Amino acid sequence: MEAIHRFSVCHLPICLGKRHIKSAPIILCPTRKLVSSPDFSNYVTFSPHRKARTTSAISKAGWLLGLGQNKKAKPPEIIQAGDPVLHEPAREVDPGEIGSERIQNIIDDMVKVMRSAPGVGLAAPQIGVPLRIIVLEDTKEYISYQSKEEIKAFDRRPFDLLMILNPKLKKKSDRTALFFEGCLSVNGYRAVVERYLDIEVTGLDRDGQPIKVDATGWQARILQHECDHLDGTLYVDKMVPKTFRIVENLDLPLAEGCPKLGVREP
């Protein structure tokens, strides 16, 4: 998920003045049968529908086959919408494989890619890895680009780096909110998405130990966005109709009939 939604001031999740365009970060991720050992042979070409393998695709495929064993290798690129890996369910990580060098390198690469984007969340399928792993982090720096009014409206607070494997998400209340949302895998676009405001996520940390996160507000939105990725769902699959737009048009009013942005009480 991108860290900054918009280079403007309006009703947007992460707003930013034009003077920060070059340097500021971008925001705004379920259960499956366990497999004994991840097999990435089917992802060598990244897509069975592609007619040719580009240099970039070959490079990504090589990284997947080695799963980051070459620590000097360039971190993978962020996969964009249309690649099957983003539209198909990811597989659970075998708990017995969590401590392996392969899985640990995948997690390290995910964190590097998320921070360099920059973003506040990333799911493994976004770097071409069909496993149920998410990472997320929101910092004071990212939040500082918003006004106090926006921070309050979005209920946005900084939180330390979280790395969750095989996450399972459930809502804790029926309260929801409507805000614009963006994605590193749908570059340059935004749309309004309704998300639960109070959720719980359980899973395993990078050491294979149980972890539980009770999240509200913007952190809850990030977690839902990233967990969606693990089910092959992008935010555009859940967007409010007629709200999809390019970043440059985010200051324009919503179409007639669109719901008002903000918290919706049950």
Side-chain angles (χ1 to χ4, degrees):
M1 183 170 175
E2 294 183 337
I4 291 191
H5 276 298
R6 174 60 176 156
F7 308 117
S8 72
V9 286
C10 193
H11 312 284
L12 311 174
I14 310 299
C15 302
L16 182 64
K18 291 183 178 180
R19 64 184 180 278
H20 297 298
I21 288 179
K22 293 184 179 180
S23 60
I26 310 180
I27 291 187
L28 330 217
C29 262
T31 53
R32 192 142 306 280
K33 185 178 180 180
L34 287 172
V35 293
S36 58
S37 178
D39 176 12
F40 295 94
S41 59
N42 292 331
Y43 289 83
V44 173
T45 59
F46 279 79
S47 171
H49 308 294
R50 294 180 181 173
K51 295 181 179 179
R53 294 171 66 193
T54 64
T55 301
S56 175
I58 293 173
S59 174
K60 294 174 187 172
W63 180 86
L64 277 179
L65 288 176
L67 286 175
Q69 288 183 0
N70 181 1
K71 295 184 179 180
K72 295 182 179 181
K74 182 180 178 180
E77 298 175 1
I78 295 175
I79 304 299
Q80 293 300 303
D83 193 304
V85 73
L86 290 176
H87 304 282
E88 298 170 352
R91 293 173 289 185
E92 286 200 343
V93 180
D94 183 344
E97 295 290 326
I98 292 177
S100 68
E101 183 178 7
R102 287 186 172 186
I103 297 300
Q104 293 299 312
N105 286 342
I106 288 174
I107 296 171
D108 289 340
D109 277 343
M110 288 177 64
V111 174
K112 292 176 184 176
V113 171
M114 176 185 68
R115 287 174 170 172
S116 64
V120 295
L122 194 77
Q126 291 183 273
I127 58 169
V129 179
L131 290 177
R132 303 182 79 82
I133 306 174
I134 61 174
V135 298
L136 56 153
E137 175 184 53
D138 204 1
T139 68
K140 291 182 179 179
E141 178 189 357
Y142 294 171
I143 296 173
S144 69
Y145 295 114
Q146 288 187 282
S147 68
K148 292 182 179 180
E149 292 75 15
E150 291 166 334
I151 294 172
K152 181 178 180 180
F154 306 136
D155 189 15
R156 190 176 180 192
R157 298 177 297 276
F159 58 85
D160 294 332
L161 177 65
L162 289 170
M163 297 162 281
I164 309 175
L165 292 78
N166 302 337
K168 296 176 176 61
L169 184 152
K170 68 177 182 180
K171 67 175 183 177
K172 297 183 67 177
S173 79
D174 291 326
R175 294 195 312 136
T176 63
L178 289 153
F179 287 117
F180 273 100
E181 197 164 299
C183 179
L184 296 170
S185 291
V186 189
N187 193 29
Y189 297 90
R190 304 290 184 272
V192 174
V193 181
E194 184 173 12
R195 299 283 190 186
Y196 289 111
L197 286 171
D198 307 288
I199 66 165
E200 175 187 285
V201 174
T202 57
L204 302 174
D205 64 16
R206 71 177 305 164
D207 297 317
Q209 298 301 310
I211 182 174
K212 184 176 80 166
V213 179
D214 291 309
T216 61
W218 204 254
Q219 184 183 23
R221 178 171 291 267
I222 297 171
L223 281 163
Q224 289 168 86
H225 179 107
E226 301 305 328
C227 285
D228 276 351
H229 274 300
L230 305 184
D231 286 334
T233 300
L234 299 180
Y235 80 92
V236 292
D237 298 320
K238 292 187 170 184
M239 66 183 179
V240 175
K242 300 182 180 181
T243 64
F244 186 67
R245 56 188 61 195
I246 59 174
V247 171
E248 290 75 14
N249 285 345
L250 277 176
D251 281 332
L252 299 180
L254 292 172
E256 183 176 353
C258 288
K260 182 180 178 181
L261 300 184
V263 175
R264 304 182 78 180
E265 296 295 340

